[in-house]
Amino acid sequence: MPIILGVLIAFAGTRLVACAGPVWSGDDEQRFIEAYRDYVEPPASAEQLRRADKLFVEVVGILGDTYVDDVDTSAFVDLAIARLPELEFEDKSPVGVVGAALDDTLHSLDPHSAYMSEDMFKRLQESTEGSFAGVGIVIAHDDSKRIRIVSPIDNTPAARAGLKPDDRITHIDGYDMTGEPIAEAVRRMRGRIGDPVTLTIDRESNSFDVTVKRAKIEVPSVTAAVIDNDLPYIRVSRFDANTLDQMRQQLDELQDKVASPRGLIVDLRRNPGGLLDSAADLADQFLTGGLIVATEGRGERKLRTYDADRSSYFDGVPMVILLDRGSASGAELMAAALRENGRGIIIGERSFGKGSMQRILPLSTGGGVKITTGYYTTPGNHIVQGNGVVPDIEILTEGAAEFEREAELPHSLPSRRRDPRTTVASLAESACRQDIVIERLDPSSDRAEQLAEEQADGEVAGDGMLECAVGYFRGGGLATYRPQVEPLLRAGL
């Protein structure tokens, strides 16, 4: 996912933290302060200019203190000045000009560092709390700076309207989005509940409009089911402040419902990440001990470790973790933690490869900044950044469109310390599909009702990767690999 991600979602691997103290401009910052004034629409008051000056100086100071690599302040300022004539400013107030310049220049450091206006910062806080008002899609830039849909969030206006991964949003309410920052796309798609927004979609060279009504997005991040009466299944679509409570509730119900489980499937496909603490907490539900994840900052300095200390759900039950190319950040660290602690094997596709961590810092001038401050490392001291998580058994999906992974994004941080393990086997999805019966724990949900109707009409093709994973436990095409992969899992290889 060229995520990552800007979004109408969570920011993967982020932590919300407090802000710094007073700031003063140096010679480099002063050069930008003198240059940006030429792009401000008059009249601008002295107070407006002072606030914008402080904004720039504060962000440059934060970079120097917290960014994952040393930042050449002079070069950063030079680029910010050089880019001023090329930017299209929708807001030509002092803060508007400085904010646009900062956002553009921060993106030159890596794909995930960004400036957020007060409105954007407020919406981010809402999204990490598990709800927000919008259409319900995860978005990112493609290599042509177009807005690409990474995935629609389940049970949202976007999903119900039929929007698909890899669709391009060319216009929002008629406004051309080519080259626009992710933050601008998010701003235009957010709004009041019930108000319509029209998205112009480019899909396989076909262009069409889709009008959806904005809604309060309170999508459960955890859903669960029982497959074939004895196989608990739990899906985590993102990691926010409510995910842990939802996970425990669903796991408790699954344990009550399935007395003798054959296995357990944890589905992290299309999960773009979210709050780092939430992802670590979820991994902890299945681990009685061991390291879950550590974070590493500038100069490979260890910042923090997360260790397992909870009682384990489904202790001793064989586990499969499903990943695909859309699994990123927190989903990758959770999968790696479970495998490297000997808890479960991974089936699916190599994941996205976002192993960097961001902090969200509020600014004294209003708004906030998202800064890449480090990498997360797996229990085996591997780094997912640019590498992704390699599945134990790879499923080759049919007709899957290719899209950029993290390593292919402009200004992506370099890969480091790759996990040396390799895939044991690769199978075509068609070679291991089978019929399965799914009993959803919440049959009253809109999506469950929709699926039931489609299945009755014979309209559902099924979920090939999930069907293959089920076969791992019950004599399907993947079952023959259990004697190979499970000894490796127990040995930590």
Side-chain angles (χ1 to χ4, degrees), residues 291-296 302 375-379 381-383 417:
L291 175 67
I292 296 173
V293 65
T295 59
E296 178 178 290
K302 294 300 181 187
Y375 299 89
Y376 61 78
T377 65
T378 71
N381 203 30
H382 308 128
I383 292 181
R417 301 205 304 273

Side-chain angles (χ1 to χ4, degrees), residues 3-5 110-114 354 356 358 370 372 406 409:
I3 326 181
I4 283 190
L5 288 165
D110 69 80
H112 311 297
S113 294
K354 181 187 179 292
S356 63
Q358 286 71 44
K370 180 159 65 90
T372 298
E406 172 77 11
L409 300 183

Side-chain angles (χ1 to χ4, degrees), residues 89-414:
F89 301 103
E90 184 170 321
D91 176 6
K92 291 190 175 182
S93 69
V95 165
V97 170
V98 171
L102 279 171
D103 190 60
D104 180 83
T105 314
L106 287 168
H107 285 316
S108 74
L109 298 176
D110 69 80
H112 311 297
S113 294
Y115 164 76
M116 290 169 286
S117 67
E118 292 185 57
D119 184 58
M120 278 296 303
F121 187 66
K122 177 183 177 182
R123 295 184 189 283
L124 170 64
Q125 291 175 307
E126 292 172 351
S127 71
T128 57
E129 290 167 2
S131 66
F132 55 91
V135 301
I137 51 175
V138 179
I139 59 174
H141 273 141
D142 67 9
D143 55 0
S144 300
K145 297 287 284 184
R146 294 188 301 168
I147 304 298
R148 183 178 71 82
I149 296 179
V150 175
S151 62
I153 299 172
D154 296 342
N155 268 343
T156 62
R160 289 190 287 270
L163 299 183
K164 297 181 178 181
D166 229 33
D167 284 346
R168 266 56 174 181
I169 300 175
T170 61
H171 296 76
I172 300 176
D173 283 335
Y175 185 86
D176 187 354
M177 297 306 300
T178 303
E180 292 291 338
I182 291 295
E184 177 62 13
V186 171
R187 187 187 71 81
R188 288 181 175 275
M189 283 188 278
R190 294 290 183 90
R192 291 183 301 183
I193 293 173
D195 283 355
V197 57
T198 299
L199 309 178
T200 303
I201 303 297
D202 185 8
R203 178 185 298 166
E204 298 177 352
S205 301
N206 295 318
S207 182
F208 55 93
D209 288 345
V210 174
T211 299
V212 296
K213 288 186 178 181
R214 298 176 176 94
K216 186 173 183 181
I217 308 300
E218 288 186 327
V219 185
S221 52
V222 182
T223 53
V226 177
I227 300 174
D228 294 342
N229 299 314
D230 64 357
L231 191 58
Y233 165 88
I234 192 153
R235 166 160 168 71
V236 184
S237 59
R238 60 194 291 252
F239 301 102
D240 59 40
N242 298 322
T243 303
L244 177 59
D245 288 341
Q246 293 177 28
M247 173 69 108
R248 288 172 173 165
Q249 179 180 348
Q250 299 282 23
L251 287 171
D252 286 338
E253 189 169 348
L254 284 171
Q255 286 198 146
D256 291 342
K257 198 170 185 67
V258 185
S260 300
R262 183 194 303 258
L264 171 67
I265 296 177
V266 177
D267 191 347
L268 302 178
R269 291 175 295 170
R270 302 179 302 282
N271 182 323
L275 299 177
L276 180 62
D277 290 13
S278 176
D281 283 340
L282 260 65
D284 201 357
Q285 304 310 301
F286 303 104
L287 299 169
T288 54
L291 175 67
I292 296 173
V293 65
T295 59
E296 178 178 290
R298 189 181 298 175
E300 300 188 9
R301 179 171 59 90
K302 294 300 181 187
L303 301 175
R304 185 178 175 187
T305 60
Y306 298 74
D307 296 296
D309 60 5
R310 303 183 191 280
S311 58
S312 177
Y313 282 93
F314 291 102
D315 191 23
V317 175
M319 176 190 290
V320 160
I321 304 111
L322 290 180
L323 288 185
D324 67 7
R325 66 194 71 188
S327 306
S329 195
E332 296 174 287
L333 78 83
M334 180 176 173
L338 293 173
R339 177 168 66 183
E340 292 181 22
N341 279 289
R343 186 61 188 88
I345 74 156
I346 297 173
I347 292 175
E349 300 175 313
R350 177 169 66 88
S351 60
F352 181 72
K354 181 187 179 292
S356 63
M357 177 182 68
Q358 286 71 44
R359 283 187 180 181
I360 308 297
L361 297 125
L363 299 170
S364 63
T365 53
V369 64
K370 180 159 65 90
I371 299 294
T372 298
T373 59
Y375 299 89
Y376 61 78
T377 65
T378 71
N381 203 30
H382 308 128
I383 292 181
V384 170
Q385 175 63 26
N387 299 311
V389 175
V390 175
D392 298 292
I393 301 175
E394 180 183 30
I395 304 299
L396 304 173
T397 54
E398 298 153 0
E402 281 296 328
F403 62 81
E404 294 174 317
R405 286 183 166 89
E406 172 77 11
E408 300 165 307
L409 300 183
H411 312 296
S412 177
L413 294 173

Side-chain angles (χ1 to χ4, degrees), residues 69-90:
D69 293 322
D70 289 326
V71 176
D72 184 333
T73 300
S74 183
F76 183 87
V77 170
D78 286 342
L79 180 59
I81 293 172
R83 291 285 294 150
L84 282 169
E86 303 172 26
L87 297 176
E88 295 183 7
F89 301 103
E90 184 170 321

